[in-house]
Amino acid sequence: MAGWLSPEEWQAVALSLRVSLWATMAALPLAVWVAYLLARREFPGKQLLNSAVHLPLILPPVVTGYLLLMMFGTKGPVGGALQQIGIVFAFRWTGAALAAAIMAFPLMVRAIRLSFEAVDPKLEQAAATLGASKPWVFATVTLPMILPGLIAGTVLGFAKAMGEFGATITFVSSIPGQTQTLPSAIYTFLQVPGGEAAALRLTLVSIAVALTALLLSELLARRAAARLGGR
């Protein structure tokens, strides 16, 4: 692939994979926790939390990127404080990962929440009556049963992070080698005369990565479901 793509194109591919992996890994633990709360707990403000989780799906991505810039920019309330300890998100690849994680988060939560809701609470209660602690019940009963949904949510999040454009380009711009991911690189090449060939190559790479991720998730989900069914 390195010979087929130019160095600039390869940088965009590598950066997109890096951003998407970090975004997915960072969002996954919080997505599992929020999905559990929405599926199993009743508390004041639950509907407000549910609305806030899904807000990035409804807002234009540019609005989300602008809000991130206002909050996490070097002059923002959060970004300014973080800058004092050497953490900067605006116009850095870490900011691209943050934007991608926020845009992917609702899809991850929804898939995992549906898996939690499909688990019969009586199975967990039975394990608890046998003396198992809550963490042990979750690790040995709940987690194996939600694994297919967990895999699906993770892949959905990764795919969304790979394809994120509006929020990312608004928050971190499109700096080659630093913040230029696959979608922003394709857009940039399309604005340059003669850049269609490079845009096409990156489009094919995007399709290949997405198909690989989907096929892998299907394989892992089927194995998880088959293992669960064999118990």
Side-chain angles (χ1 to χ4, degrees):
M1 184 181 294
W4 182 49
L5 301 177
S6 70
E8 185 179 358
E9 294 163 20
W10 176 246
Q11 281 183 336
V13 174
L15 183 63
S16 285
L17 292 173
R18 182 184 186 188
V19 165
S20 301
L21 286 171
W22 276 100
T24 305
M25 291 189 298
L28 184 58
L30 183 59
V32 172
W33 182 59
V34 171
Y36 177 81
L37 290 178
L38 293 176
R40 295 297 183 81
R41 293 287 184 264
E42 294 295 333
F43 53 90
K46 180 178 178 178
Q47 292 305 317
L48 182 61
L49 174 62
N50 186 50
S51 298
V53 166
H54 291 88
L55 196 59
L57 292 179
I58 302 170
L59 286 175
V62 174
V63 173
T64 302
Y66 178 68
L67 292 175
L68 285 172
L69 189 60
M70 293 291 291
M71 290 294 296
F72 290 91
T74 54
K75 295 183 179 180
V78 179
L82 291 175
Q83 188 181 28
Q84 301 299 319
I85 58 175
I87 301 175
V88 179
F89 285 104
F91 306 108
R92 304 283 180 87
W93 77 268
T94 51
L98 175 62
I102 289 175
M103 296 302 294
F105 189 73
L107 298 177
M108 299 173 72
V109 170
R110 183 165 182 80
I112 299 170
R113 178 184 179 179
L114 291 174
S115 292
F116 272 120
E117 292 175 345
V119 176
D120 188 350
K122 293 181 180 179
L123 297 175
E124 298 167 317
Q125 294 168 5
T129 58
L130 295 175
S133 63
K134 288 184 178 181
W136 186 249
V137 170
F138 180 83
T140 60
V141 178
T142 311
L143 185 58
M145 298 188 72
I146 69 166
L147 194 55
L150 188 65
I151 294 171
T154 301
V155 174
L156 279 174
F158 178 82
K160 177 62 176 176
M162 280 288 295
E164 174 50 39
F165 174 70
T168 301
I169 201 169
T170 305
F171 184 36
V172 299
S173 188
S174 178
I175 306 171
Q178 297 184 43
T179 64
Q180 191 177 75
T181 57
L182 268 174
S184 58
I186 292 171
Y187 176 80
T188 300
F189 281 123
L190 287 175
Q191 308 309 306
V192 179
E196 292 83 0
L200 178 59
R201 287 194 296 269
L202 291 181
T203 298
L204 293 176
V205 171
S206 299
I207 293 172
V209 171
L211 286 176
T212 300
L214 288 172
L215 291 173
L216 182 61
S217 70
E218 182 70 16
L219 176 63
L220 292 175
R222 285 187 178 184
R223 287 187 176 181
R227 183 178 300 178
L228 181 62
R231 291 193 169 200

